[in-house]
Amino acid sequence: MPNIRLKNINNFICHDINLEISDREFLVLWGPTGAGKTTLLNTIAGLIEYKGSVSFDGSPVDEFPVYQRKAGYLFQNLILFPHLNVRANIAYGLRVQGEPKSMVESRVNELLRLMRIEHLVYRYPRDLSGGEKQRVALARAIAPSPEIMLFDEPLNSLDFHTARYLRTEIHKLHKELGFTTIYVTHCFEEAFALADRVAVLKNGRIVRTGFPEDIFKEIDCKAIAENGFCDCHQGSRNSPAQIKLENSNILCHSRRG
Amino acid sequence: MKKIKAVHSLIPILVFLLIWEVVTRLELIPGHFFFPPFTVVIQEFYRLIANGVLIDNFLSSFFRVLIGLSAGSIAGITVGILLGYEQNLHKITHPILSLFYPIPALGWLPILMLWFGISEMLPIMIIFICSFFPVLYNTVTGIKGVNKDFIKAAQSLGASEWKVLTTVVIPLALPNIFTGLRLEAGMAWRVIIAAEMVAIPTGIGALLMKAESLMRVDIIIVCLMVLAVMCLSFERFFIYLEHKLTHKWRQYAQH
C-alpha cells in the first residue's frame, strides 16, 4: 500500500500543508466545520486545483487526472448513482475500468456478502435507508480495491447506533484490506475511536499532528465541545474519554473498534 | 386495471361522437352542410382508404416527418451533448443559438423554398429545423443540469471523461432529452401539415387544401382525425420509450 505525501499544498482554503501518511496508516483529519478538511481530501483525490505536490508512494501524481489517481473516496453525501441499482452501483468502478465480467460479478457478490446487503441487490438508491445507502456507498468505494481510501465525514447523517456500527465496520475493513486511509471528521469520539494518528486542521492549516491520546489530552475540552457535538471529560486511550452527547444525555465510553 | 382505465378514457370520446351524430342528423346546427355526421365521415374515410388517396398522402407525410424528425433529433441530441458538456463551446455558440431558437419553423419556409425549390428536401428540412432547436435546447439543459457531484463520484471510481459522459451524464439527462423529443414529436406533424398546405402538392396537408377547394368537409375532418391520431401516437411513443428507460429510477415516473 502506498504512503501519501503532501508538500506545500495551497489553494483557496488550504495553506502550506505538509503532511506524510504512512503505508496502511489510518489518519483522521479532525477540525471544526470550514477548517478545510473536505478541500484537503478533494486535493488529494485531484478533484480541485492546488499548488504544491501530492505524491503516492514517492511518485508525484499532480499531473494525473482524478480517474488515474485511483483513490477510493466515500463522499459525505454518498452520491450513489440514482439510475443504477445497488449491484450496478457497486460494480461501476470495476466496469469503467474494463474488468472482465466474471471478475466484476464475483467481486460484487463478495462485497454484497461482506457488507451484508445481498437482499438490496436490485433496489435503487431512492428505496434505501440512510444506513443501507452508506453500506452500498462503502462497498462501491472499495470495489476497485483502492490502495488509498478517503472518507469525508461518512457517518454524519446517521443515527447514533447505525453510525457506531458502521464505524466498527470501517475500522475492520481497514484492518482486513490494509488501505492507507484519510478520514475526515469533526467528531471527537469518531476520531478517538478510529485514528492511528490525528491531524488537527484549523483555518486551512494543520496545527497539530500526533497520536489521538496525545492530541486530545493537549486540547482543551471546551474547544472539543465547541468543535464537535460532544461535552467531554478528558481521557486517554487506556482510560477512555467519557463523552456526553449534547442532545441525548447518553454517556458513552469511546473505545477503539 | 389497465383495461378498466382504457375503457374509462374511451367513454367521453364515445359520448362526444354520439352527440356529434345526433346533433348533425337532427340538423340542430344551422348550415349542417358544412358539418357532416360522424358516420358519413367514417364512410368517406373507408372510401379514401379503398381508393388509395389517403394512404398515398399519409405515407408522403409520414416519411417526411420520420426522416426530418429522426435527423433533427439525432443532430439536436449530438450537438446538445457536445454543448452541454463543453462549457466553452456553449459560451461561444449560445448567443447565435438564442437568436435562431425563437424563429418559428414555418418562418424558414420562404427561404427554404428558394434554396431547395418544391422538392422532398423542403418538408424534410422544415421538420429538421422544427425538431433540431428544441431538442438541442432540452439536451443542453439536461446535460448541464446533471449534479457535478455525480461526475466527481464517477471520476473518483476511475471513469474517464468518455465513460463519465456515457455512463452517468447522458443517462441522467435522459428525462430532459425526452421532454424535447416528446414536444417535438407532435409539433412535427403540425408543422408538416402547415408546410404541405402552403407549399407542397402531396401529403395530408395538400389533401386538406384540395378538400377545402372542393368544399368536402367530410374529407377535411378525415384529414384532421388522421393528424390528431398521428400527433398523439408519436407523443405516446416517446412517453413509452422514456418510461421504459427511466421509470425504474425516477421518483415520479411519467406515463
Side-chain angles (χ1 to χ4, degrees):
Chain A
M1 297 292 161
N3 61 7
I4 304 166
R5 192 171 177 209
L6 310 177
K7 201 175 166 190
N8 295 327
I9 298 295
N10 282 282
N11 56 27
F12 61 99
I13 293 186
C14 301
H15 305 290
D16 299 320
I17 288 186
N18 289 287
L19 187 65
E20 201 159 335
I21 301 114
S22 312
D23 168 25
R24 293 169 191 265
E25 185 177 6
F26 199 117
L27 179 100
V28 169
L29 271 178
W30 186 76
T33 305
K37 305 183 295 288
T38 300
T39 307
L40 189 57
L41 279 199
N42 286 341
T43 302
I44 296 165
L47 289 166
I48 54 171
E49 289 184 1
Y50 60 90
K51 285 180 184 162
S53 175
V54 177
S55 304
F56 292 167
D57 225 6
S59 311
V61 292
D62 307 306
E63 299 305 317
F64 287 13
V66 187
Y67 68 90
Q68 282 179 0
R69 294 197 184 192
K70 293 183 181 170
Y73 198 150
L74 188 59
F75 295 87
Q76 187 173 4
N77 46 353
L78 306 178
I79 323 177
L80 290 174
F81 300 123
H83 62 295
L84 301 179
N85 64 22
V86 167
R87 175 176 281 281
N89 256 292
I90 297 172
Y92 184 85
L94 298 162
R95 273 201 304 123
V96 294
Q97 289 178 33
E99 298 294 349
K101 212 172 171 182
S102 56
M103 184 268 185
V104 174
E105 285 293 306
S106 66
R107 176 77 175 142
V108 170
N109 289 337
E110 180 193 329
L111 286 165
L112 286 168
R113 266 195 308 277
L114 185 71
M115 303 306 295
R116 281 176 254 161
I117 47 175
E118 294 110 314
H119 59 294
L120 306 175
V121 72
Y122 295 114
R123 283 211 208 153
Y124 283 79
R126 64 169 187 184
D127 301 322
L128 300 174
S129 69
E132 289 167 345
K133 280 182 188 166
Q134 211 84 21
R135 278 185 277 170
V136 174
L138 183 56
R140 184 183 69 171
I142 61 176
S145 308
E147 296 183 331
I148 291 164
M149 265 305 296
L150 310 171
F151 293 90
D152 186 8
E153 309 205 41
L155 311 180
N156 236 10
S157 55
L158 298 177
D159 65 85
F160 177 73
H161 294 289
T162 315
R164 196 157 196 188
Y165 168 74
L166 279 169
R167 191 177 71 201
T168 312
E169 289 292 302
I170 289 171
H171 194 247
K172 220 160 73 183
L173 279 172
H174 171 253
K175 291 286 169 211
E176 278 172 23
L177 306 174
F179 36 68
T180 307
T181 303
I182 303 180
Y183 186 102
V184 158
T185 185
H186 62 261
C187 178
F188 159 75
E189 190 195 359
E190 245 174 79
F192 195 85
L194 290 168
D196 290 330
R197 199 157 57 103
V198 175
V200 181
L201 205 63
K202 200 170 181 186
N203 297 327
R205 293 176 196 278
I206 291 184
V207 291
R208 205 168 301 173
T209 56
F211 295 113
E213 52 266 45
D214 298 335
I215 291 283
F216 294 120
K217 206 183 281 177
E218 286 169 24
I219 291 178
D220 182 8
C221 269
K222 202 178 161 198
I224 294 173
E226 279 168 8
N227 291 336
F229 300 113
C230 316
D231 174 18
C232 70
H233 304 284
Q234 196 168 316
S236 69
R237 196 175 294 201
N238 295 329
S239 164
Q242 286 187 325
I243 300 151
K244 190 177 177 190
L245 294 173
E246 204 169 47
N247 295 323
S248 58
N249 282 332
I250 296 169
L251 200 69
C252 60
H253 293 268
S254 177
R255 58 181 168 76
R256 293 173 66 78
Chain B
M1 198 68 191
K2 266 188 176 176
K3 274 183 185 169
I4 295 170
K5 240 182 168 180
V7 170
H8 276 205
S9 60
L10 271 179
I11 290 172
I13 297 171
L14 292 174
V15 171
F16 171 75
L17 295 177
L18 189 71
I19 293 170
W20 174 3
E21 186 69 21
V22 172
V23 165
T24 46
R25 288 286 174 198
L26 296 176
E27 301 186 359
L28 294 176
I29 296 176
H32 65 274
F33 174 73
F34 290 108
F35 195 8
F38 176 65
T39 45
V40 172
V41 173
I42 290 296
Q43 279 166 17
E44 188 55 30
F45 176 73
Y46 278 118
R47 201 185 63 79
L48 287 171
I49 291 215
N51 64 21
V53 172
L54 188 61
I55 290 175
D56 285 350
N57 284 293
F58 168 75
L59 286 178
S60 298
S61 298
F62 180 78
F63 284 116
R64 285 165 189 157
V65 170
L66 204 62
I67 296 167
L69 184 64
S70 306
S73 301
I74 290 168
I77 291 170
T78 310
V79 179
I81 289 168
L82 199 67
L83 298 187
Y85 207 57
E86 291 295 332
Q87 302 291 321
N88 290 334
L89 208 58
H90 185 243
K91 273 182 197 160
I92 295 166
T93 53
H94 182 64
I96 306 164
L97 293 171
S98 302
L99 280 175
F100 281 110
Y101 179 62
I103 300 173
L106 285 174
W108 292 92
L109 196 58
I111 198 167
L112 291 176
M113 281 170 80
L114 291 172
W115 284 349
F116 297 107
I118 306 295
S119 68
E120 278 303 309
M121 271 308 278
L122 178 63
I124 288 171
M125 279 310 292
I126 280 281
I127 299 299
F128 179 90
I129 291 169
C130 163
S131 337
F132 176 75
F133 286 107
V135 171
L136 169 80
Y137 183 81
N138 278 285
T139 306
V140 171
T141 308
I143 298 283
K144 280 166 72 93
V146 172
N147 189 336
K148 298 287 174 286
D149 284 347
F150 292 125
I151 297 173
K152 282 183 187 175
Q155 286 174 331
S156 78
L157 288 162
S160 62
E161 287 268 310
W162 175 250
K163 289 278 184 190
V164 170
L165 183 67
T166 53
T167 60
V168 173
V169 177
I170 294 175
L172 290 178
L174 275 182
N176 272 80
I177 295 173
F178 271 108
T179 301
L181 290 171
R182 215 170 52 221
L183 293 173
E184 286 327 298
M187 186 56 77
W189 276 95
R190 293 176 200 118
V191 168
I192 194 68
I193 297 298
E196 286 169 349
M197 285 168 77
V198 178
I200 301 142
T202 54
I204 296 287
L207 185 61
L208 262 172
M209 288 311 284
K210 281 175 206 158
E212 187 269 341
S213 63
L214 296 169
M215 292 197 288
R216 291 293 302 274
V217 181
D218 49 353
I219 299 179
I220 293 175
I221 294 175
V222 167
C223 292
L224 293 179
M225 282 165 57
V226 170
L227 174 65
V229 169
M230 289 320 292
C231 280
L232 196 68
S233 308
F234 270 53
E235 281 175 9
R236 283 274 144 189
F237 169 73
F238 283 110
I239 290 172
Y240 171 78
L241 210 60
E242 179 182 8
H243 182 76
K244 274 273 159 209
L245 292 174
T246 66
H247 87 281
K248 277 186 183 168
W249 58 272
R250 285 180 75 186
Q251 196 139 21
Y252 304 104
Q254 294 167 356
H255 200 260

